[in-house]
Amino acid sequence: MKLAVRTAMSLMLALAPGSACAQGADPGDDKTIMFTEDDPEMAAATAQALASLDEFLALSEAPSSDTDRFKLKVKVRDGNVSEHFWVIPFRRTETGFVGILANQPEQVRNVVFGQNIEFTRNDISDWGYMRAGHQVGSFTVCVMFNKMSKEEADTMRDQYGFDC
């Protein structure tokens, strides 16, 4: 089974100020890159994100003045199919988290772009935010750059402040 993981155009939604729904961005521009569930680079990126999730969540609840655009990437399952989406904005609830789906689904059919979704910590696969114009986190995106053309990856790095 392959996992659909969001990339390039979804970053524009996740990095835009405010909520994705308010931006008027075309969710049809979203791009998906497929990875197998046992892809070692993606597994390592997810493990890195999860190892530092508590620090990220603490910062997102009390952000410093040079940080913004906090986002979580979550896995959504629909039967035997799963797909990862950025959720922005998000907030904690008594049972987990809630936030707005910032990407147009391609594989799963049980959610839609702009939908308010509930999820748990077990669904989280990545996190990210901006600090002084540079991306922090977004570990899975850095892995995706290896599957893009050099030109496309360099453009994403330059336009969105990735240091990977």
Side-chain angles (χ1 to χ4, degrees):
M1 178 194 289
K2 296 205 179 235
L3 294 175
V5 184
R6 297 294 170 179
T7 183
M9 300 310 285
S10 66
L11 291 174
M12 287 192 274
L13 296 173
L15 300 177
S19 74
C21 292
Q23 296 310 304
D26 181 4
D29 287 342
D30 208 4
K31 182 176 180 179
T32 302
I33 294 179
M34 302 299 284
F35 287 85
T36 60
E37 286 192 54
D38 61 351
D39 182 272
E41 289 180 289
M42 190 58 72
T46 299
Q48 186 178 9
L50 295 178
S52 51
L53 181 60
D54 288 330
E55 292 85 6
F56 166 78
L57 292 171
L59 180 62
S60 73
E61 292 174 356
S64 60
S65 62
D66 65 342
T67 61
D68 64 352
R69 301 180 190 163
F70 291 86
K71 60 188 180 281
L72 289 171
K73 186 180 272 187
V74 301
K75 182 177 187 176
V76 174
R77 294 168 195 83
D78 185 4
N80 292 330
V81 180
S82 61
E83 197 167 353
H84 293 255
F85 300 91
W86 287 109
V87 175
I88 182 173
F90 69 90
R91 65 177 173 80
R92 285 191 200 223
T93 65
E94 284 186 25
T95 58
F97 301 86
V98 65
I100 298 174
L101 195 74
N103 312 109
Q104 182 67 41
E106 289 186 18
Q107 304 293 317
V108 299
R109 301 288 176 233
N110 58 344
V111 294
V112 296
F113 169 77
Q115 178 178 336
N116 207 29
I117 64 168
E118 294 182 17
F119 55 97
T120 68
R121 184 182 183 100
N122 291 337
D123 299 316
I124 297 171
S125 56
D126 202 353
W127 56 261
Y129 65 94
M130 296 292 291
R131 173 180 281 143
H134 291 276
Q135 283 290 321
V136 179
S138 300
F139 304 101
T140 59
V141 176
C142 292
V143 173
M144 289 180 216
F145 287 158
N146 298 332
K147 300 264 185 176
M148 295 178 187
S149 71
K150 180 178 177 352
E151 180 181 86
E152 186 177 23
D154 287 347
T155 298
M156 294 300 299
R157 285 184 185 101
D158 292 344
Q159 287 183 346
Y160 299 106
F162 284 95
D163 294 326
C164 56

